[in-house]
Amino acid sequence: MASTIPIQQVKEEGQQRLTGDSFIHHHLRKLSPYQPILPFEVLSTRLGRNPEDIIKLDANENPYGPSPEDSGFESEYILVGCGANELINLIMRCVLDPSAKIVDCPPTFIMYEFDAVVNGELVIKVPQKPDFSLDVELITEVVEQEKPKYIFLASPNNPDGSIISDEVLLKILDLPILVVLDEVYIECSGIESNMQWVKKHENLIVLRTFSRKAGLAGLHIGYGAFPSSIIEYLWRAKQPYNVSVTAEVSACAALKNLAYLEKVKVALVQERERLFKLLKEVPFLNPYSSYSNFILCEVEPVS
């Protein structure tokens, strides 16, 4: 026969009272929260300045405003999400086992590591070389020894704007690892997207966004190209109604105005080249060549 234990008796036996955080994963209690870039309206208020007096350059966004590019890719390979960040997290939830390993190649987009830690995964860091190229030999060694599930690569990469050649990408695709290629900055690169490759490489996923070229960063709408053998499982796991009506309508409107998007791309590239030349004239700055809409600079000590 079932019986109950009075609450007072439990307290007398010295059992500790449960608190809300006792239900939270142990690794999340030690995780530092992601620090987002301040929204424009918050920044202007904090500085006590009129919004029109501020030029904000710290988010690598498109300053020309909205009007996504047409990928020319069959819809059955495409999954749209609430920004590329949601797709990154969705991939992890569908692919990773508890305590699985992933490969990260810093310096790169911090959300790869952040989401992996949130999901309780072990991040193996393979730093880029001094020229920001990938250390393919070390990546190969890590994959063979540690058996990680996947690797995140960005082309162009954030923060340096470097790109990954097809030759290097093929070498990594030959490894027994899922490759997630982040192309959210590709519009200004002048190189072709690798989206079509997902048709012949079962271990390749390519992520894109409407945030940069279409100027829809605040609406958070991104998309990814997935092999047919993978995408059906992501459809099962994704949250329903994850993309807002506003974001969907805006993205569709942008797709109808490809001429405008091309004009914006040309303007962004021209401004990048103009800024690069000006930065090279600054004595204590060493700017790196960039294929994106931002430029990384090494600051040399001033004697």
Side-chain angles (χ1 to χ4, degrees), residues 170-231:
L170 284 171
K171 289 180 180 179
I172 299 176
L173 284 170
D174 282 339
L175 301 174
I177 189 171
L178 179 62
V179 178
V180 182
L181 182 64
D182 190 339
E183 291 186 343
V184 299
Y185 290 105
I186 197 171
E187 284 82 13
C188 297
S189 67
I191 64 173
E192 292 292 327
S193 168
N194 290 103
M195 287 184 66
Q196 296 288 341
W197 286 29
V198 304
K199 295 180 181 179
K200 56 183 179 180
H201 294 279
E202 291 284 311
N203 62 328
L204 175 64
I205 293 172
V206 179
L207 301 180
R208 302 289 292 275
T209 184
F210 288 79
S211 296
R212 305 297 181 268
K213 187 176 179 181
L216 303 182
L219 293 175
H220 297 290
I221 181 165
Y223 58 101
F226 301 83
S228 56
S229 56
I230 292 178
I231 194 170

Side-chain angles (χ1 to χ4, degrees), residues 256-272:
K256 296 178 180 178
N257 200 344
L258 298 181
Y260 174 84
L261 298 181
E262 181 63 23
K263 180 181 178 181
V264 167
K265 182 186 75 172
V266 171
L268 289 172
V269 172
Q270 289 177 343
E271 286 299 299
R272 181 190 69 202

Side-chain angles (χ1 to χ4, degrees), residues 48-69:
R49 305 289 296 272
N50 294 325
E52 58 269 20
D53 295 333
I54 299 175
I55 300 176
K56 193 169 183 292
L57 301 174
D58 59 343
N60 302 330
E61 295 170 345
N62 171 7
Y64 297 98
S67 167
E69 104 296 324

Side-chain angles (χ1 to χ4, degrees), residues 87-270:
L87 296 178
I88 291 172
N89 195 273
L90 179 61
I91 293 167
M92 291 185 180
R93 287 191 283 117
C94 289
V95 172
L96 294 179
D97 301 317
S99 299
K101 301 174 182 178
I102 75 165
V103 177
D104 189 39
C105 299
T108 191
F109 186 38
I110 190 62
M111 288 304 295
Y112 308 147
E113 178 182 2
F114 181 86
D115 280 341
V117 174
V118 168
N119 284 280
E121 315 308 334
L122 177 62
V123 179
I124 304 174
K125 295 186 179 182
V126 181
Q128 298 175 23
K129 296 180 179 180
D131 63 353
F132 297 106
S133 62
L134 295 175
D135 192 335
V136 179
E137 292 184 3
L138 186 53
I139 291 174
T140 302
E141 182 179 328
V142 166
V143 171
E144 292 175 349
Q145 294 182 359
E146 301 293 337
K147 306 294 189 295
K149 272 292 188 94
Y150 64 81
I151 182 173
F152 270 106
L153 304 174
S155 183
N157 185 51
N158 179 358
D160 59 280
S162 62
I163 58 175
I164 301 172
S165 68
D166 287 352
E167 180 183 5
V168 168
L169 182 58
L170 284 171
K171 289 180 180 179
I172 299 176
L173 284 170
D174 282 339
L175 301 174
I177 189 171
L178 179 62
V179 178
V180 182
L181 182 64
D182 190 339
E183 291 186 343
V184 299
Y185 290 105
I186 197 171
E187 284 82 13
C188 297
S189 67
I191 64 173
E192 292 292 327
S193 168
N194 290 103
M195 287 184 66
Q196 296 288 341
W197 286 29
V198 304
K199 295 180 181 179
K200 56 183 179 180
H201 294 279
E202 291 284 311
N203 62 328
L204 175 64
I205 293 172
V206 179
L207 301 180
R208 302 289 292 275
T209 184
F210 288 79
S211 296
R212 305 297 181 268
K213 187 176 179 181
L216 303 182
L219 293 175
H220 297 290
I221 181 165
Y223 58 101
F226 301 83
S228 56
S229 56
I230 292 178
I231 194 170
E232 65 169 299
Y233 298 102
L234 273 76
W235 273 107
R236 298 180 191 179
K238 86 171 190 69
Q239 290 289 326
Y241 316 115
N242 55 328
V243 177
S244 70
V245 173
T246 304
E248 181 180 347
V249 171
S250 299
C252 290
L255 280 172
K256 296 178 180 178
N257 200 344
L258 298 181
Y260 174 84
L261 298 181
E262 181 63 23
K263 180 181 178 181
V264 167
K265 182 186 75 172
V266 171
L268 289 172
V269 172
Q270 289 177 343

Side-chain angles (χ1 to χ4, degrees), residues 2-14:
S3 61
T4 59
I5 302 176
I7 295 177
Q8 184 64 31
Q9 180 181 341
V10 171
K11 292 181 178 179
E12 291 175 354
E13 292 174 354

